[in-house]
Amino acid sequence: MNSLVSFINKNDLLKIELMNYVLETDQKFYETKTLEQEFAVSNYMLREILDSLNIDLHNILDSDWLLLQKGLVYPRYRVTRYHLYKMSQYYFNLSALKPLLETRVLTGSLPTYTTIQYDYGWSPSYFFSQKKNTKWPCE
């Protein structure tokens, strides 16, 4: 997962980590309190992540995965590495840094901030902070 940290936003990364946790622990249900402690998030944030993850999985795999009832989270089916891969791919495709990476790979150079600003809606400050914090191959 470390390679995705640079490209995927915090909430999407948390969804992937939650899927991975469920995959590795394989329990019939999870207490929300345990998940809150495991991922260091509030109850509200956990509920947002679970709802958002269900929506994303429904859009990609056409099924709801988690059921939240009375402080317990029930996986409706067993998640696999395939599901985790598909979700990682989906979140990477939504990543704000993907256009920079694609341009870098295809042209060998980075686009100007005005191109990114007009084509993708980035502010110049966001562009330069991402450019500075991202390690690009062949640089």
Side-chain angles (χ1 to χ4, degrees), residues 112-130:
T112 63
Y113 77 88
T114 52
T115 301
I116 291 293
Q117 183 180 17
Y118 291 121
D119 291 351
Y120 303 103
W122 286 26
S123 69
S125 60
Y126 181 73
F127 171 80
F128 286 113
S129 70
Q130 293 306 313

Side-chain angles (χ1 to χ4, degrees), residues 63-127:
S63 62
D64 292 334
W65 177 45
L66 298 170
L67 173 65
L68 179 61
Q69 242 179 8
K70 297 182 182 178
L72 298 174
V73 178
Y74 298 94
R76 293 183 175 176
Y77 56 86
R78 187 174 191 162
V79 70
T80 65
R81 292 278 170 206
Y82 171 77
H83 296 109
L84 193 59
Y85 168 76
K86 290 301 275 182
M87 293 309 292
S88 298
Q89 183 181 31
Y90 175 71
Y91 295 133
F92 174 73
N93 288 336
L94 293 176
S95 167
L97 290 174
K98 185 180 179 218
L100 284 181
L101 181 61
E102 286 176 337
T103 304
R104 177 68 178 189
V105 169
L106 296 174
T107 67
S109 63
L110 291 173
T112 63
Y113 77 88
T114 52
T115 301
I116 291 293
Q117 183 180 17
Y118 291 121
D119 291 351
Y120 303 103
W122 286 26
S123 69
S125 60
Y126 181 73
F127 171 80

Side-chain angles (χ1 to χ4, degrees), residues 27-36 43 46-47 50 66-75:
Q27 299 175 14
K28 292 187 186 277
F29 63 89
Y30 300 86
E31 292 184 17
T32 55
K33 293 280 186 204
T34 304
L35 293 175
E36 289 166 18
N43 184 273
L46 179 65
R47 288 175 182 273
L50 293 172
L66 298 170
L67 173 65
L68 179 61
Q69 242 179 8
K70 297 182 182 178
L72 298 174
V73 178
Y74 298 94

